[in-house]
Amino acid sequence: MATGETGFDDVTYDLVSVQYHSLKAGHDYGQYVRDADNAERQDIADFFRRVMEEDSARAKQCHEFIKELSGSSQSGAAVT
């Protein structure tokens, strides 16, 4: 696998990126839930909660893949 300037292979970098953005979005969605709750729009608050759960699951899956790649020759020097 190609290793870029970061020392991480492209796939590991991509997984870390998706994990970061999923966790960041999950944090932001908490505010969206509060906004919808304050507007008394339970249907929208529930939607944001579902989206938050999906991003949480996405971040967890990335974590599992990163653990799997960690220590392998596929991960690049920064992870091994």
Side-chain angles (χ1 to χ4, degrees), residues 17-32:
S17 180
V18 170
Q19 183 180 42
Y20 167 79
H21 289 289
S22 295
L23 292 170
K24 173 72 172 105
H27 178 267
D28 294 342
Y29 296 148
Q31 181 61 52
Y32 303 166

Side-chain angles (χ1 to χ4, degrees), residues 9-22:
D9 69 286
D10 293 341
V11 172
T12 301
Y13 180 90
D14 296 345
L15 286 167
V16 169
S17 180
V18 170
Q19 183 180 42
Y20 167 79
H21 289 289
S22 295

